[in-house]
């Protein structure tokens, strides 16, 4: 496993070198920021060249460490890097990454410090903790000789974190924790939405409840009267290193009809109004950006997107209802649950640029095809006869869509695939243009028009043909997948 301290410091250096990539992985936006609490473990190990303008938000350290860090900042000429006197001056939800070093004889103070750092960290932000268990003479006698990862996990949970890793190193304990990330999804009857969210990789817990109503401590019977304005809502706590909020939002939109008001499936009533609710501004921004993509597919959009006002957990018999009652009613279907459970591509790293950026970035043909549902000419397009190993990604967002492993020779004159890499990355809807009834295919995160899908194709190994416009995708050769950030998909060629 190697030295965990060096491992974490290595991660910190990667984050420093690639802040945009790290933020995308967390489903966040803005400048990367670090908060170093205590002995300066994190920043002290970072070479000056890696201290990038605007990356360090705040440092609460000793005068000696302040001088060391100030020297690094000054030598690197980083005028915007800030060193504050204490953590209380750091804004809420402002740091992506923090380090904390504590001494075991100060154990009573540690939970408070962790809670304060939880305030500073963005939802899903990372906190690395080093606990010195055997202290030298200058640190005074230790209170505990050892502390277990289980104890730290319990303490972390109380402070708003969940434990990712814990290493007992003899002289000290290293813990790697994340601030809990939470979002709220109202998608009609909460029985199905709870099971759907529970199926998504990275989700820790999903709890059914009632959100944003106007009475205290509502019951199911009271909510069903229709005048409380509570929505049947699922509170989702998730690990942002395994699945982003953007992914959860797109999974939510993939199973609801956002054009309806106070209704989903066969259920009618104010409690079935769809909505996404958030506890912090950053989560709200991610949800709204996903909603803007969804709006491009509909003439009207009636899903609520609001800050969370209140949430009450539903009665126990509603929790995990479909697990307890496998044949119970649900407006969603097993295909939805299976699809999200098999998710291989996280949406967090693939964000749609502004309309103006898209126009500037694409060629006239690419823009016409992707934004105006055009098509490129058969047999006279870039990839129709390309069979090199690699993947095809959305030309707009970079989201991986198709693999050469699933590409087949087709007489249609366009690139033809029997299936996508991940069913969650494509969206299908009926297309009645040109006097025909076809199924259009677009990309999940970009709403990029890709082409059409046809069943009963005699040339396809499985009878399905995704007929994709070359102008909608970019080919990434297998040899360059790692370099371009798609190394996590290299296993599809094994």
């Amino acid at each position: 496993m190697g030295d965990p301290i060096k491992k974490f410091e290595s991660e910190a250096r990667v984050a420093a070198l690639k802040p945009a990539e790290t933020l995308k992985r967390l489903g966040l936006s803005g400048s990367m920021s670090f908060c170093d609490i205590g002995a300066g473990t994190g920043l002290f190990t970072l070479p000056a060249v890696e201290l990038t303008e605007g990356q360090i938000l705040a440092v609460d350290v000793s005068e000696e460490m302040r001088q060391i860090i100030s020297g690094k900042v000054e030598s690197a000429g980083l005028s915007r890097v800030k060193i504050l006197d204490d953590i209380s001056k750091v804004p809420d939800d402002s740091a992506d990454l923090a380090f904390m070093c504590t001494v075991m004889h100060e154990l009573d103070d540690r939970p408070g410090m962790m809670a304060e750092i939880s305030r500073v960290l963005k939802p899903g932000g990372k906190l690395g903790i080093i606990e010195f268990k055997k202290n030298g003479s200058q640190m005074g006698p230790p209170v505990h000789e050892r502390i277990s990862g289980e104890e730290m996990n319990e303490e972390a949970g109380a402070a708003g974190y969940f434990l990712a890793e814990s290493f007992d190193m003899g002289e000290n304990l290293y813990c790697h924790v994340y601030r809990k990330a939470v979002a709220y999804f109202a998608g009609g009857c909460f029985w199905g939405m709870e099971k759907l969210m529970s199926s998504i990789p990275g989700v820790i817990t999903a709890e059914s409840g009632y959100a944003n109503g106007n009475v205290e401590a509502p019951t199911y019977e009271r909510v069903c009267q229709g005048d409380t304005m509570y929505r049947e809502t699922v509170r989702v706590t998730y690990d942002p290193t395994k699945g982003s909020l953007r992914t959860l939002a797109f999974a939510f939109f993939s199973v609801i009809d956002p054009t309806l008001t106070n209704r989903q499936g066969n259920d009618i009533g104010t409690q079935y109004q769809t909505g996404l609710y958030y506890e912090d501004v950053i989560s709200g921004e991610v949800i709204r950006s996903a909603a803007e993509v969804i709006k491009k597919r509909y003439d009207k959009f009636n899903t609520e997107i609001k800050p969370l006002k209140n949430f009450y957990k539903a009665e126990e018999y509603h929790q995990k209802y479909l697990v307890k009652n496998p044949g119970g009613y649900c407006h969603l279907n097993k295909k939805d649950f299976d699809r999200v459970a098999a998710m291989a591509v996280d949406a967090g790293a693939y964000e749609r640029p502004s309309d103006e950026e898209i126009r500037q970035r694409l060629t006239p043909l690419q823009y016409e095809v992707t934004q105006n549902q055009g098509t490129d000419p058969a047999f006279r397009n870039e990839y129709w006869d390309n069979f090199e190993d690699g993947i095809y990604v959305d030309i707009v967002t970079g989201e991986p869509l198709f693999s050469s492993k699933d590409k087949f020779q087709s007489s249609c004159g366009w690139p033809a695939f029997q299936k996508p890499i991940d069913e969650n990355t494509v969206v299908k809807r009926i297309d009645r243009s040109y006097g025909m009834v076809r199924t259009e295919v677009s990309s999940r995160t970009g709403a990029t028009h890709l082409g059409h899908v046809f069943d009963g194709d005699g040339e396809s190994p499985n009878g399905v043909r995704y007929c994709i416009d070359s102008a909608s995708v970019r080919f990434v050769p297998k040899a360059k997948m790692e370099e371009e950030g798609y190394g996590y998909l290299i296993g599809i060629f094994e």
Side-chain angles (χ1 to χ4, degrees), residues 37-58:
I37 312 300
T41 305
L43 297 181
F44 184 64
T45 59
L46 293 176
V49 69
E50 294 176 8
L51 298 179
T52 303
E53 193 80 25
Q55 285 183 344
I56 306 165
L57 177 70

Side-chain angles (χ1 to χ4, degrees), residues 345-363:
V345 178
D346 184 84
Y350 311 105
E351 186 173 0
R352 178 185 167 93
S354 69
D355 291 344
E356 183 56 33
E357 287 179 287
I358 293 173
R359 184 179 293 275
Q360 292 178 1
R361 184 184 302 175
L362 302 185
T363 67

Side-chain angles (χ1 to χ4, degrees), residues 190-466:
F190 47 26
W191 295 341
M193 187 55 62
E194 182 197 78
K195 183 171 176 60
L196 182 91
M197 288 295 166
S198 298
S199 303
I200 300 175
V203 169
I204 301 169
T205 60
E207 300 172 303
S208 293
Y210 314 107
N212 281 23
N214 55 26
V215 301
E216 292 187 7
T219 63
Y220 181 70
E221 290 73 18
R222 183 71 180 87
V223 169
C224 286
Q225 292 179 19
D227 61 345
T228 67
M229 302 311 293
Y230 274 102
R231 317 308 192 191
E232 291 197 10
T233 302
V234 177
R235 175 170 58 192
V236 177
T237 302
Y238 62 98
D239 179 347
T241 68
K242 297 179 181 177
S244 66
L245 176 55
R246 192 179 305 281
T247 289
L248 297 179
F250 280 118
F252 167 81
F253 282 120
S254 74
V255 298
I256 69 160
D257 184 342
T259 68
L260 301 178
T261 301
N262 297 335
R263 178 174 184 171
Q264 284 297 295
N266 296 322
D267 301 312
I268 301 175
T270 57
Q271 68 269 39
Y272 301 117
Q273 170 61 42
T274 58
L276 293 92
Y277 311 115
Y278 52 90
E279 293 182 343
D280 60 274
V281 174
I282 295 170
S283 295
E285 290 175 352
V286 173
I287 289 170
R288 291 182 189 281
S289 69
E292 288 303 311
V293 175
I294 300 302
K295 289 177 182 179
K296 293 182 177 298
R297 297 189 170 103
Y298 296 92
D299 294 331
K300 56 182 179 178
F301 183 88
N302 292 320
T303 295
E304 295 179 335
I305 299 178
K306 296 179 179 180
L308 182 75
K309 183 170 65 174
N310 51 23
F311 177 85
Y312 293 90
K313 188 175 178 179
E315 295 83 349
E316 186 57 34
Y317 71 89
H318 287 300
Q319 307 303 325
K320 296 181 172 58
Y321 183 86
L322 293 179
V323 174
K324 300 171 184 174
N325 304 276
Y329 165 78
C330 183
H331 67 299
L332 305 182
N333 59 61
K334 186 177 183 299
K335 287 184 178 180
D336 293 323
F337 305 143
D338 292 344
R339 169 174 54 80
V340 299
M343 192 178 298
V345 178
D346 184 84
Y350 311 105
E351 186 173 0
R352 178 185 167 93
S354 69
D355 291 344
E356 183 56 33
E357 287 179 287
I358 293 173
R359 184 179 293 275
Q360 292 178 1
R361 184 184 302 175
L362 302 185
T363 67
L365 175 61
Q366 289 171 337
Y367 188 87
E368 176 62 23
V369 170
T370 61
Q371 308 304 304
N372 297 324
Q373 290 71 55
T375 187
D376 43 24
F379 302 104
R380 290 185 291 115
N381 54 81
E382 190 171 4
Y383 303 124
W384 77 274
D385 59 351
N386 175 46
F387 287 92
E388 180 184 353
D389 280 351
I391 60 173
Y392 296 80
V393 306
D394 183 353
I395 192 71
V396 172
T397 67
E399 184 173 27
L401 301 170
F402 300 96
S403 162
S404 60
K405 295 283 286 187
D406 300 311
K407 195 170 188 287
F408 62 92
Q409 186 73 51
S410 173
S411 59
C412 68
W414 287 279
F417 304 88
Q418 58 180 310
K419 63 179 182 179
I421 294 172
D422 179 347
E423 289 284 349
N424 295 279
T425 64
V426 298
V427 177
K428 304 172 188 176
R429 66 174 182 173
I430 298 299
D431 175 10
R432 301 183 185 279
S433 62
Y434 303 105
M436 297 181 285
V437 179
R438 297 176 292 173
T439 301
E440 183 206 8
V441 181
S442 61
S443 67
R444 170 178 60 176
T445 61
T448 303
H449 172 75
L450 302 173
H452 294 85
V453 59
F454 303 92
D455 292 320
D457 186 283
E459 296 176 322
S460 170
N462 65 354
V464 178
R465 171 167 57 92
Y466 283 85

